[in-house]
Every structure is written in structure tokens, then in C-alpha cells.
Amino acid sequence: MSTKECGHHDDEHRRKLLRLIIAGIASLILVILLTIFIIYLILKPTKPQFIIQDATIYNFNISSPTSSPFPTPNTLSLTMQVTLSTHNPNNKIGIYYQNLHVYASYQTQQISFPSALPDTYQGHNDFTVWSPFIYAVAVPVSPFTFSALQQDENNGMVLVSVKVNGRVKWKVGSWISRRYHIFVNCPAYVRFVGDRNNGVGVLAPAVKFQVLQSCTVDV
């Protein structure tokens, strides 16, 4: 057999070996994906349930700009504490909450700075309660938002949405999933109290509202 024929057989052998390696890797990936899919079908992970229990308003005040030669936006200041409860309804799946931040919004505008929630592991059928403070100091608001707040002042009530944004991971035995995005929206109706002639808002002393409202959860 010539040197050329030997080289040809070596190339064929390498190609066959490469095809076997690729087929083996593809089969392994397929088995892993199939196993994960079967586990998912058996366990059927259910997204967590959130409830906003109450909201304590220390300050909710919007101010108009004073006469000035320069354009000055309307601003909103806010101090509130909310109690959020979350329930893991799964019997065999734990939930890791990571990088969660809570903030308040009105209409389509975010009206507070985000406040961080602690990373938490939630066991099977377990409950977790957070009571974060939400702050805003002279946050500029649009003319549309200012007008809507004035209308709400006349109605005596305002709808504030408390939102949570972050990541979750599922835990089954020793297996932990990749991270998934979680977004929670909790509507909270609060009343305007205090002297309305002193600006739009809730004035001291602090007012606690029992909300007990279910939240929408997207994972």
C-alpha cells in the first residue's frame, strides 16, 4: 500500500471518529434537555404569589414651580413603607429570589428610587414577608402626571403601583435552574389626607392603609 493510500485511510478514520464524537455530544445534550423537560412536566413549577398587605404613607407631596425666568418642572416627594408577602405554592420546588428592587409608579411614570430587597431562598409552600421603605425626593414629574394628580386630589384617592423587578431561580433537589426575570405589579389605593391647601399630598402624621391586594406576577 502506498503512502498516499495510507494517508487517505487515516483521513477517513479521523472523519469517522469526529462524526462519532459529534453524535455523542449531540445525544448527551438531547438526553439532558429531555430530562429537564420531563422534570418540568412532572413538577410543573408555578410562579410565586404576591400580596401587598398594607402601605404606610409618611409623605406624598407634589409641588408646582414658583415663578422663575427659567423652566422648572413639577416635583414629587414620597416616603412610604409597604408590606409585601410572597408565597411559594410549589410542593417540591424551592425559589431563589435575587437582585430584587421595589419602587413606586403612578400612571406610566416611575415616581421613586428603587429600594433593594434582600436575596432570599423560599422553601416548599413557604411564605416570605418584606417591609421596604420607598423614597423619592423632588423627583420631576411630567405635566400630564401633575394634572392627573390634581384630579386624584379632587377625588380624594390615588392609585399607586408598587412594583418589584428582579430574578428568580428554581431549585429541585440539588439541581438549580438558570435565572429568570420576575416582574410584580401591586396596585395600592391610598387616600389624600391633611390640608389640601398646603399642596397635593399626604401630610404628617403617617397614615397606614390596609390594602390586602393581590399582585400580578410575570416570570
Side-chain angles (χ1 to χ4, degrees), residues 5 21 23 36 56 61 70-71 83 98 101 116 129 132 142-143 146 161 163 175 183 185:
E5 290 175 336
I21 293 174
I36 293 174
T56 302
N61 192 50
F70 304 102
T83 302
Q98 297 178 335
H101 290 84
V129 177
S142 67
F146 178 75
S161 294
K163 299 182 178 181
W175 177 79
F183 179 76
N185 184 16

Side-chain angles (χ1 to χ4, degrees), residues 7-24:
H8 176 72
H9 284 295
D10 288 340
D11 291 340
E12 281 292 327
H13 179 71
R14 281 194 292 269
R15 281 195 291 268
K16 288 181 180 179
L17 181 61
L18 182 60
R19 284 196 293 268
L20 288 175
I21 293 174
I22 293 174

Side-chain angles (χ1 to χ4, degrees), residues 174-195:
S174 59
W175 177 79
I176 300 175
S177 73
R178 66 180 179 87
R179 297 201 304 174
Y180 293 87
H181 179 255
I182 184 172
F183 179 76
V184 183
N185 184 16
C186 304
Y189 283 96
V190 296
R191 296 189 308 275
F192 282 115
V193 297
D195 183 6

Side-chain angles (χ1 to χ4, degrees), residues 98-216:
Q98 297 178 335
N99 300 326
L100 295 183
H101 290 84
V102 59
Y103 61 92
S105 70
Y106 175 80
Q107 302 283 8
T108 59
Q109 181 175 354
Q110 181 175 335
I111 58 172
S112 78
F113 308 117
S115 298
L117 297 177
D119 290 353
T120 304
Y121 173 74
Q122 195 172 51
H124 316 149
N125 287 306
D126 200 2
F127 289 85
T128 303
V129 177
W130 294 297
S131 296
F133 278 89
I134 299 174
Y135 301 96
V137 179
V139 173
V141 295
S142 67
F144 172 79
T145 300
F146 178 75
S147 176
L149 276 170
Q150 285 182 316
Q151 182 63 44
D152 285 341
E153 179 198 17
N154 294 330
N155 296 332
M157 183 173 292
V158 59
L159 173 61
V160 176
S161 294
V162 177
K163 299 182 178 181
V164 181
N165 195 21
R167 298 291 186 270
V168 294
K169 294 194 294 186
W170 312 107
K171 182 178 184 296
V172 182
S174 59
W175 177 79
I176 300 175
S177 73
R178 66 180 179 87
R179 297 201 304 174
Y180 293 87
H181 179 255
I182 184 172
F183 179 76
V184 183
N185 184 16
C186 304
Y189 283 96
V190 296
R191 296 189 308 275
F192 282 115
V193 297
D195 183 6
R196 295 188 183 184
N197 295 323
N198 195 19
V200 181
V202 177
L203 309 177
V207 182
K208 185 173 184 177
F209 300 95
Q210 296 295 330
V211 181
L212 291 177
Q213 177 68 47
S214 297
C215 311
T216 59

Side-chain angles (χ1 to χ4, degrees), residues 60-93:
F60 191 121
N61 192 50
I62 189 168
S63 58
S64 303
T66 57
S67 57
S68 170
F70 304 102
T72 305
N74 304 305
T75 59
L76 183 143
S77 295
L78 168 69
T79 304
M80 65 184 297
Q81 184 181 23
V82 297
T83 302
L84 297 172
S85 172
T86 176
H87 172 225
N88 175 11
N90 297 286
N91 293 321
K92 300 179 180 179
I93 302 175

